[in-house]
């Protein structure tokens, strides 16, 4: 499988223009024709720095909808699958979502569970755990940005059978880029972290500058490909995703078979219940 | 609280000599009198490279026993608490254990749950989760070495109220030293990783070389103090352990209050049960 990350700089609010620029950048990448799965950033079409819920609602759209239709068209032209983050409207609710689309349409979707900072007053939190979807024979899990700090997110995906975790992000701090090495090692999976670059500068709101440094990490924690802090880029690497099916270390330890779930009860106990 | 790590090089099998050298090194450290809690390595008195179970049984000892008595004597002389790893014999069973002792005696003990490589044919696995004990008012959690790769271990301790995690280790790979940064950040705790240095060279057995680089990490992932790869050393740092009581990031997110245990069910499901 040829796995790619796209580090992208959206223009705030220019949803249609961002769709076009994102697709054009993928098509212009030297390895475009060889990519099997491309991971694009969180909120790649709206930008991040919403003034208020009303502005978010105006820019959000259904899934399937115009953005996923544009991604399906891209997937058909290049015969690939894409994970991208977008603002999803579903009736009265608005989610910080990621969709997996392929030539045949929308394969599945994830609605961000762990909302960061102001996202909590803008978005509704997702109510379903992290999904494992299929790209051909390869189980691909979806999580978004701040989910990284909760080890339960990547763990849920890996226990659910994901070999590759797609992690669209809009990171303002640098911790996640190193933490995904730990996430890859502890779960023996591939992780494709696609962060955005640039800044959202909006009048009357503090500017946010994003930290780029998107990377693909392998099950031994090796960084297979990465981006600089400020660039827009598409980077790809050939991986053998089935390596993630084997949870055995060189020591002989199978770190999944040797888990001791009977001793992990504190993790699923509701707060304040003797934890 | 003055928190210290002792990076130490035991001589294989010389249990009594190691007890004396370990204590002498602490007493000779310039800051010895100021230390409140010292963390020493895993299996600090026997060494690591046991030929077989019979040899381990011969070198293991009960808790309380001669080694913890020596540690209590050290704790009284310096008015401090010590966490150290040792081979614990309890009837027919032998555990890779860590004990917390203070001037008043043994405070508590942990028996390693996740055994690494050959440890699985030498030791019995612990059957209790990671304990949170007290050093004065400070809740201190115990885990050992290979537990680091299972995010559930540090998570269980932090959810159980630990502010400081003592992590005695005998590491042969370098991943743990960087992973403890992630463990500190994701749980907002202090972690005192005390690794051994040097090598166990035993006739007829492949030599194992340990990676040193013991470190104390704070709740923001900052490395507060660390050791070189090959040195024997005692390093200490003044910390405010109560910082670990506050799980709130600069973003306003309380990463414990915002956990979603109802979505984490996969983590405690027995294997093969639809996970």
């Amino acid at each position: 499988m040829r796995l790619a990350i796209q580090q992208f700089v959206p223009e705030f609010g220019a949803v249609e223009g961002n769709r076009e620029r994102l697709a054009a950048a993928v098509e212009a990448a030297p390895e475009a024709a060889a990519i099997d799965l491309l991971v694009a950033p969180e909120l790649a079409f709206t930008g991040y720095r919403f003034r208020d819920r009303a502005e978010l609602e105006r820019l959000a759209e259904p899934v399937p909808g115009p953005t996923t239709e544009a991604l399906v068209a891209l997937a058909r032209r290049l015969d690939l699958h894409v994970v991208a983050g977008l603002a999803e409207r579903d009736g009265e609710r608005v989610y910080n979502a990621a969709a997996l689309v392929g030539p045949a349409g929308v394969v599945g979707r994830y609605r961000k569970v762990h909302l960061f900072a102001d996202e909590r007053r803008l978005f509704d939190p997702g109510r379903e755990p992290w999904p494992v979807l299929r790209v051909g024979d390869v189980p691909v899990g979806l999580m978004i940005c701040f989910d990284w700090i909760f080890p339960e997110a990547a763990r849920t995906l890996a226990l659910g059978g994901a070999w590759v975790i797609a992690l669209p992000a809009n990171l303002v701090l640098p911790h996640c880029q190193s933490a995904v090495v730990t996430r890859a090692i502890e779960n023996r999976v591939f992780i494709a972290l696609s962060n955005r670059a640039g800044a959202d500068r909006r009048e009357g709101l503090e500017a946010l500058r994003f930290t780029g440094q998107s990377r693909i990490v392998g099950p031994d924690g090796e960084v297979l490909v990465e981006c600089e802090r400020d660039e827009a880029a598409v980077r790809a690497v050939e991986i053998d995703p089935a390596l993630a099916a084997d949870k055995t270390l060189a020591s002989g330890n199978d770190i999944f078979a040797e888990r001791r779930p009977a001793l992990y009860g504190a993790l699923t106990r509701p707060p304040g219940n003797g934890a």
Side-chain angles (χ1 to χ4, degrees), chain A:
Chain A
M1 166 181 261
R2 195 109 188 135
L3 178 61
I5 43 177
Q6 177 173 24
Q7 188 163 296
F8 183 64
V9 183
E11 180 189 340
F12 186 87
V15 175
E16 194 169 335
N18 289 329
R19 269 181 217 138
E20 287 164 11
R21 280 198 305 120
L22 185 143
V26 180
E27 294 189 271
E31 7 196 13
I35 295 170
D36 297 301
L37 173 61
L38 174 87
V39 182
E42 180 184 16
L43 296 170
F45 308 96
T46 54
Y48 185 83
R49 202 76 173 98
F50 303 97
R51 199 170 293 283
D52 51 31
R53 170 88 178 194
E55 183 178 60
L56 169 60
E57 286 178 353
R58 185 171 59 74
L59 291 168
E61 54 178 299
V63 172
T67 290
T68 58
E69 279 162 27
L71 292 172
V72 170
L74 174 69
R76 283 184 186 150
R77 291 199 297 278
L78 294 177
D79 189 25
L80 49 68
H81 281 70
V82 186
V83 171
L86 75 170
E88 182 198 359
R89 181 157 187 170
D90 180 11
E92 295 299 298
R93 295 181 191 269
V94 184
Y95 299 101
N96 182 338
L100 170 64
V101 310
V106 175
V107 177
R109 179 193 49 201
Y110 164 64
R111 292 162 167 176
K112 190 176 184 179
V113 163
H114 293 296
L115 298 171
F116 184 69
D118 282 353
E119 295 170 29
R120 293 171 297 173
R121 64 175 179 83
L122 293 165
F123 291 96
D124 298 285
R127 289 173 296 176
E128 301 288 334
W130 302 266
V132 180
L133 308 168
R134 291 264 159 186
V135 173
D137 292 336
V138 178
V140 173
L142 304 187
M143 52 190 268
I144 299 176
C145 202
F146 191 51
D147 284 329
W148 77 264
I149 208 171
F150 299 86
E152 294 87 355
R155 193 60 141 189
T156 297
L157 288 172
L159 290 171
W163 292 350
V164 175
I165 293 179
L167 174 48
N170 275 192
L171 296 160
V172 291
L173 292 172
H175 298 305
C176 175
Q177 287 90 337
S178 43
V180 290
V181 174
T182 303
R183 296 280 174 261
I185 290 175
E186 72 197 11
N187 293 301
R188 291 196 71 73
V189 292
F190 293 88
I191 302 186
L193 164 63
S194 177
N195 191 17
R196 63 164 287 186
D200 272 358
R201 300 191 194 286
R202 307 211 62 212
E203 207 186 311
L205 292 178
E206 184 199 3
L208 285 183
R209 186 169 182 75
F210 300 91
T211 53
Q213 301 170 81
S214 302
R215 43 176 39 185
I216 296 175
V217 184
D220 285 316
E222 68 279 26
V223 178
L224 300 171
V225 70
E226 59 187 329
C227 300
E228 301 292 327
R229 185 184 167 105
D230 291 313
E231 66 178 336
V234 175
R235 297 265 147 74
V237 63
E238 187 70 28
I239 64 163
D240 176 1
L243 290 176
D246 183 359
K247 303 302 184 189
T248 310
L249 308 183
S251 62
N253 291 91
D254 180 326
I255 59 170
F256 271 32
E258 296 177 24
R259 292 178 74 248
R260 305 276 301 276
L263 301 182
Y264 302 159
L267 277 77
T268 50
R269 219 166 281 149
N273 192 6

